Amino acid sequence: MTIKNNHLNVKKKIIVLGGDGFCGWPTSLHLSNLGHEVVIIDNLSRRNIDNELEAESLTPIQSMGTRLTAWEEVSGNKIDFYNIDIAMNYDELLRVINKEKPDAIIHFAEQRSAPYSMKSSKHKRYTVNNNSNATHNVLCAIVESELDIHLVHLGTMGVYGYGTAGVKIPEGYLDVEVKTETGDRVQQQILYPTNPGSVYHMTKSQDQLLFQYYNKNDNVRVTDLHQGIVWGTNTMETKLDERLINRFDYDGDYGTVLNRFLMQAAVGYPITVHGSGGQTRAFIHIQDTVRCIQIAIENPPTRNEKVKIFNQMTETHCVKDLAKLVSELTGGEIAYVDNPRKEAAKNELHVKNDLFLSKGLEPITLNEGLLQEVTKIAKQYAHRADHAKIPAKSTWTKEQKPGIPTKEADP
Ligand code: NAD
Ligand code: USQ
């Protein structure tokens, strides 16, 4: 039985690149449930990376075939799937775009872990090759198809850097005043200067230039969503059947901070705060991620509009406060470990997110969903956890140490 979602104004054909991933799978189901025609392209590289790392999602995710059959049984809606490496196989990507003639393409298909991107030269090069070629191939294919396709890209808050020097981070563009040669003062809007903190974040900064160029040269309509750290696991649609369950990464490379803390507390592993925990980051629940993407699809830019940039985040927190919150809820012990990353020990972060709020987003806050997440997911699947995979071992430089808890490191 399907759930009744928001009414659909215009039915669209949507290709979801990276539709097998943590954000892409629930987004595909959400858009399909709304009545859109969804086609997934994914090369299953994320599953192969799990094999490489000998790590697994805490939740038992099913094969793509089982997922799609389950969705058809539950909703009556069919989602087509193509296994294509969009970074390596341009011709196949173009062929599918020409065949499917989508109104919109949502681009999630990049290597998204900062620690994985810093593991070795091999991983740095893979991340740059994969992400830069994936984004460029999609843009080229849109132009070559001669179709007026709206591209929605999942970018990151990390392109801004996290030291805002008292400035509330605007949505993509910064208003600046420059002095001309004749001494006049002119106003300009520029892309907010990037300050990436990992090779992965650097590829997202480079993506921004690709979008700006193809938008200027070929009028490609682009929405770039600068997303914060996604937490949570399931959405309304993935809860409908256990075969639809979303992935939950907890390992030292792919697990993101809040989901790691929840899982660590559930399995009795110390909550690993990197360094002093003064790092402040932006967050969003996965249910709000899929809703934001729906809003972006429903509000495309016009043909001559510059790249539309939204900050896709709902709240900011510092790592130490998150650890304390999870510890208070669960009784979990906190361990202050070596920070394997090169990042500021402490930062302020103030972010504008007016665009989504003005379009009706009603954010799910940490206080509402957190406890449910601990009990429902982290505890339910705690028996699947491999404790050896929890510590963050990828270091940003050779001098740094992995984030392994020791009794001595506890405060
Ligand atoms: P994910 O790794 O779970 O999903 C990415 C999917 O893309 C995977 O299924 C993978 O197999 C596929 N993919 C990667 N390269 C591909 C290629 N060359 N060809 C075809 N498919 C390919 O990641 P996610 O957490 O779902 O993130 C999706 C996007 O959102 C990423 O671009 C990421 O940068 C962005 N984002 C994620 C978060 C987060 O907290 N998870 C936060 C901000 C932004
Ligand atoms: N951290 C800890 N303990 C841990 C894990 C992480 O203290 O056990 C700290 C990190 O050192 C960092 C912060 O938590 O200061 C965030 O780390 P993270 O792994 O949760 O997030 P990050 O590496 O920034 O990457 C994630 C996604 C990425 C996305 C980004 C959004 O993997 O795809 O782009 O969040 S943002 O952070 O806003 O740039």
Side-chain angles (χ1 to χ4, degrees):
M1 190 197 63
T2 184
I3 42 166
K4 289 283 159 264
N5 226 311
N6 300 338
H7 41 273
L8 185 67
N9 291 329
V10 186
K11 180 176 174 171
K12 293 188 175 176
K13 165 83 76 88
I14 302 168
I15 294 184
V16 180
L17 306 172
D20 187 45
F22 171 58
C23 298
W25 174 243
T27 300
S28 301
L29 299 190
H30 183 66
L31 296 173
S32 169
N33 196 44
L34 284 172
H36 294 297
E37 198 178 332
V38 175
V39 173
I40 289 177
I41 296 181
D42 201 298
N43 67 344
L44 308 182
S45 53
R46 181 67 195 83
R47 292 178 188 250
N48 290 334
I49 290 174
D50 268 354
N51 293 337
E52 173 197 338
L53 300 174
E54 299 183 355
E56 262 190 296
S57 163
L58 188 69
T59 47
I61 54 168
Q62 300 301 310
S63 68
M64 189 46 124
T66 304
R67 280 181 153 186
L68 296 178
T69 306
W71 179 242
E72 202 172 343
E73 282 171 19
V74 167
S75 70
N77 299 337
K78 194 167 159 44
I79 295 180
D80 282 332
F81 168 58
Y82 297 87
N83 184 336
I84 301 171
D85 183 333
I86 65 160
M88 301 290 281
N89 202 338
Y90 176 77
D91 292 342
E92 270 297 288
L93 172 65
L94 179 62
R95 190 185 65 75
V96 173
I97 290 176
N98 280 330
K99 182 178 161 218
E100 300 287 351
K101 301 196 178 1
D103 301 291
I105 294 180
I106 309 175
H107 175 26
F108 295 99
E110 295 182 81
Q111 192 299 101
R112 71 101 175 134
S113 155
Y116 184 83
S117 79
M118 301 302 288
K119 283 179 100 63
S120 71
S121 299
K122 186 178 138 200
H123 296 90
K124 290 175 188 175
R125 292 173 55 247
Y126 165 72
T127 302
V128 170
N129 290 338
N130 186 63
N131 294 4
S132 303
N133 283 326
T135 300
H136 190 238
N137 282 350
V138 178
L139 288 161
C140 265
I142 290 176
V143 173
E144 195 173 343
S145 74
E146 297 182 5
L147 297 165
D148 182 18
I149 297 168
H150 172 207
L151 178 64
V152 177
H153 172 251
L154 270 292
T156 174
M157 286 297 302
V159 297
Y160 300 119
Y162 310 104
T164 56
V167 176
K168 193 161 186 180
I169 296 181
E171 309 218 46
Y173 299 97
L174 184 66
D175 293 321
V176 293
E177 191 180 81
V178 287
K179 209 168 164 187
T180 65
E181 282 181 75
T182 54
D184 296 332
R185 293 195 168 274
V186 291
Q187 312 283 333
Q188 276 189 20
Q189 232 187 19
I190 58 168
L191 270 178
Y192 194 95
T194 63
N195 183 13
S198 72
V199 166
Y200 153 71
H201 286 98
M202 187 178 64
T203 65
K204 293 285 184 177
S205 303
Q206 291 173 330
D207 282 349
Q208 289 197 101
L209 283 181
L210 292 171
F211 297 136
Q212 201 179 34
Y213 179 75
Y214 277 90
N215 170 266
K216 182 184 72 171
N217 199 60
D218 302 282
N219 294 329
V220 178
R221 293 182 298 128
V222 182
T223 302
D224 198 5
L225 304 173
H226 288 188
Q227 187 170 235
I229 299 169
V230 183
W231 66 281
T233 316
N234 278 318
T235 56
M236 284 194 293
E237 288 83 10
T238 65
K239 279 182 206 157
L240 290 174
D241 186 306
E242 210 193 351
R243 292 170 296 168
L244 300 173
I245 199 163
N246 199 16
R247 61 180 307 131
F248 184 118
D249 294 310
Y250 68 89
D251 64 276
D253 289 321
Y254 277 88
T256 51
V257 64
L258 181 52
N259 278 7
R260 271 168 67 75
F261 286 179
L262 293 169
M263 175 274 177
Q264 290 168 341
V267 304
Y269 192 93
I271 297 168
T272 54
V273 173
H274 291 168
S276 63
Q279 308 93 311
T280 303
R281 296 290 182 269
F283 291 86
I284 183 166
H285 190 275
I286 186 74
Q287 182 68 59
D288 285 340
T289 289
V290 304
R291 174 90 177 101
C292 284
I293 291 163
Q294 175 193 344
I295 293 172
I297 290 282
E298 288 169 358
N299 294 276
T302 55
R303 188 74 177 148
N304 294 311
E305 199 174 331
K306 69 179 179 191
V307 175
K308 213 170 183 172
I309 301 177
F310 291 70
N311 289 339
Q312 187 163 312
M313 50 70 68
T314 56
E315 50 192 327
T316 58
H317 296 280
C318 90
V319 164
K320 186 172 55 184
D321 291 348
L322 288 179
K324 284 185 183 154
L325 185 62
V326 174
S327 171
E328 279 160 20
L329 282 172
T330 60
E333 169 203 359
I334 300 176
Y336 287 82
V337 300
D338 284 318
N339 192 345
R341 306 183 185 202
K342 202 164 181 174
E343 59 186 0
K346 191 172 189 268
N347 67 286
E348 296 284 317
L349 188 61
H350 303 284
V351 184
K352 278 197 175 158
N353 64 345
D354 308 353
L355 289 176
F356 275 127
L357 297 179
S358 72
K359 297 199 182 304
L361 179 72
E362 289 169 13
I364 294 171
T365 61
L366 230 68
N367 294 339
E368 288 169 50
L370 198 58
L371 193 60
Q372 194 192 6
E373 199 64 41
V374 183
T375 48
K376 281 256 162 61
I377 296 294
K379 279 197 178 146
Q380 186 178 350
Y381 297 106
H383 61 280
R384 288 175 47 89
D386 177 352
H387 289 214
K389 296 297 170 192
I390 298 178
K393 292 184 178 161
S394 170
T395 61
W396 264 227
T397 63
K398 283 191 181 132
E399 290 72 43
Q400 283 166 295
K401 297 198 187 95
I404 302 176
T406 60
K407 273 286 161 216
E408 294 75 51
D410 291 347

